[in-house]
Amino acid sequence: MQWPGIIGQHAVQEILQRCIAQQRIPQALLLVGNDGFGTMALAIEFARTVNCYSPVIDGHSVIACGSCQSCTQARTLQHPNISIVSALPTGKLDASDELRKEWIDALYGLAHDLALNGYSPTRMEGANEIRIVQIRELNRQLSFSMTQRGRRVAIIANADDMNVSTANAFLKTLEEPHADTTIIMTCSRRDRLLPTIISRCQVITVPALDESTLADALMQRGSHAPDEARIAASMAQGDYISAEAFLAEDVRQIRDSAVNLLRTSLRGKDFRPALTAAVHELIGQRDRQRCLAVTNALLLWLRDAYAIVQGGRRVHLLNADQQEPLERFASSFARADFDAAYRSLERAAADVDRFMPTQLVMLTTMMELRSVFLQARR
């Protein structure tokens, strides 16, 4: 049985459901992967299931009934046994060392969005850090007696947003576990967590979604056209949230902008000012998501061009609406080292993931692509 609302991730679901069905529920779980891979959606479904009064069990599979009192409360994440901690925006705490009302309201709004869609973004606008006061408040809540039967589940979204002080305070929470309580952490950057925190968790890697699964989900959940869903799935690197963001922005517009950037880099010797201006306009100062979208769009476009070089006009193209521009490019650069171009774009994506300056990454990459393709004309 599969949990409703979860896209793919059958192996991870099997691990989590087996824990519940066999009543071997860990006190601390670490789900490693992007939100768009399903880490938060899985954490929420786990919390709903362990609190269900009448779970549906089939061997080692278990899902929530969806109709009991607990499921009704969990459906909106207004359940006394379920809590969510997420990063807060930059700003000083007031003298009482308490969370601001607007932050509390924003956290409620976040929970509301996640209740409707477990693939909603888990960071509030401007948020960058989980505060130590949030961990203290979580400890205070966990120290109270439970008001409803079931199991308390505290979900720490993007646990890698904890600073050192917060992480040390949280470590004490893990070292002194509360009865009938599971803490679930999600993170995409495991290396930013304290090793002592990781060692106290059952670690489960949530992999990227494969392109076909992601494309199907985009068509079924978002009613997107098949060709656009396939392009977005290819660009998103297995991340449903990223794919939806690309579709909201128009994947074809992103691709066309990326191809125009490549054309700008291939101009004559006075190309640099135009290229610098184009990168600034397209990427902005720190837009990581846009930078990744551009590199992925270029990678897919160049793969289509190389397919034409190898197989002529009859090959299947992902960018089918770009048949003529791709054929012209393939004809002009048939001798180019396309593998070197792919490596450059893949390296750019890795650099962006390491939080290197996006404009520098993109400028460097476009210079490398210029060298690759212009060398083929010599």
Side-chain angles (χ1 to χ4, degrees):
M1 292 188 290
Q2 301 298 311
W3 277 331
I6 303 297
I7 301 170
Q9 305 299 359
H10 303 306
V12 177
Q13 289 193 59
E14 182 179 348
I15 293 170
L16 294 175
Q17 289 188 25
R18 185 183 293 267
C19 290
I20 301 171
Q22 296 181 342
Q23 297 185 352
R24 300 176 62 181
I25 302 173
Q27 292 183 317
L29 273 169
L30 175 60
L31 302 180
V32 181
N34 294 352
D35 290 337
F37 297 171
T39 50
M40 197 64 181
L42 288 161
I44 291 171
E45 202 59 50
F46 183 94
R48 287 170 171 161
T49 305
V50 296
N51 278 289
C52 177
Y53 294 160
S54 304
V56 180
I57 301 175
D58 181 8
H60 296 306
S61 298
V62 54
I63 63 174
C65 72
S67 57
C68 67
Q69 177 191 350
S70 178
C71 285
T72 300
Q73 292 172 308
R75 190 176 301 120
T76 58
L77 289 182
Q78 301 298 310
H79 196 295
N81 290 348
I82 303 173
S83 57
I84 296 175
V85 176
S86 183
L88 294 175
T90 302
K92 294 182 179 179
L93 295 170
D94 57 30
S96 63
D97 197 35
E98 294 180 352
L99 297 177
R100 295 177 181 176
K101 181 180 182 300
E102 62 264 29
W103 289 347
I104 296 174
D105 291 342
L107 288 170
Y108 276 122
L110 177 69
H112 176 267
D113 292 343
L114 287 168
L116 296 175
N117 177 13
Y119 292 85
S120 297
T122 55
R123 281 191 180 91
M124 294 180 283
E125 184 176 353
N128 62 353
E129 188 174 89
I130 296 175
R131 308 296 188 88
I132 192 169
V133 66
Q134 294 174 272
I135 301 303
R136 289 171 180 163
E137 175 61 21
L138 176 64
N139 285 335
R140 188 181 69 85
Q141 293 176 6
L142 295 180
S143 68
F144 296 154
S145 299
M146 294 175 63
T147 59
Q148 189 167 311
R149 66 188 174 99
R151 187 175 186 86
R152 279 189 292 212
V153 180
I155 303 172
I156 315 295
N158 303 303
D160 41 343
D161 285 337
M162 289 188 284
N163 59 31
V164 175
S165 298
T166 303
N168 285 326
F170 181 66
L171 182 59
K172 294 180 181 178
T173 304
L174 294 177
E175 291 173 338
E176 301 171 1
H178 299 269
D180 298 320
T181 297
T182 292
I183 295 175
I184 304 178
M185 291 173 284
T186 71
C187 81
S188 59
R189 298 168 291 177
R190 174 176 170 169
D191 58 304
R192 295 190 60 177
L193 287 176
L194 292 178
T196 44
I197 287 180
I198 298 175
S199 66
R200 286 165 172 77
C201 300
Q202 178 176 334
V203 181
I204 300 175
T205 298
V206 181
L209 298 167
D210 65 75
E211 286 187 16
S212 61
T213 298
L214 181 50
D216 288 344
L218 291 169
M219 288 184 282
Q220 294 168 8
R221 294 165 64 104
S223 300
H224 297 293
D227 57 341
E228 292 188 343
R230 285 192 291 271
I231 293 173
S234 299
M235 290 169 57
Q237 296 185 322
D239 189 303
Y240 180 83
I241 295 176
S242 294
E244 282 286 12
F246 296 157
L247 286 165
E249 192 172 350
D250 186 343
V251 291
R252 286 192 171 87
Q253 182 180 352
I254 294 173
R255 180 208 55 203
D256 292 346
S257 297
V259 174
N260 286 335
L261 191 64
L262 176 61
R263 289 179 177 137
T264 300
S265 73
L266 297 177
R267 290 180 183 175
K269 60 182 180 180
D270 296 327
F271 72 98
R272 292 176 186 274
L275 178 61
T276 301
V279 167
H280 179 77
E281 182 179 354
L282 182 59
I283 305 300
Q285 290 296 327
R286 301 177 63 182
D287 194 338
R288 294 178 60 250
Q289 201 63 45
R290 173 63 72 86
C291 193
L292 287 171
V294 169
T295 56
N296 290 339
L298 271 178
L299 185 63
L300 297 173
W301 198 85
L302 289 176
R303 283 177 176 166
D304 276 351
Y306 186 64
I308 293 175
V309 171
Q310 294 294 98
R313 302 189 60 179
R314 295 184 179 181
V315 296
H316 172 74
L317 301 177
L318 182 63
N319 297 278
D321 62 319
Q322 291 279 292
Q323 179 89 33
E324 290 186 9
L326 283 164
E327 287 178 356
R328 290 196 298 269
F329 189 90
S331 175
S332 298
F333 300 103
R335 295 193 304 158
D337 185 350
F338 280 83
D339 283 340
Y342 303 156
R343 288 194 298 271
S344 180
L345 288 165
E346 289 165 355
R347 186 163 53 250
D351 288 343
V352 172
D353 278 338
R354 289 197 295 268
F355 289 86
M356 291 185 65
T358 52
Q359 288 196 31
L360 176 60
V361 169
M362 188 53 62
L363 281 169
T364 301
T365 302
M366 300 316 297
M367 293 296 293
E368 291 175 354
L369 293 180
R370 175 183 173 85
S371 176
V372 166
F373 289 109
L374 292 190
Q375 191 172 21
R377 284 183 166 178
R378 294 172 186 170

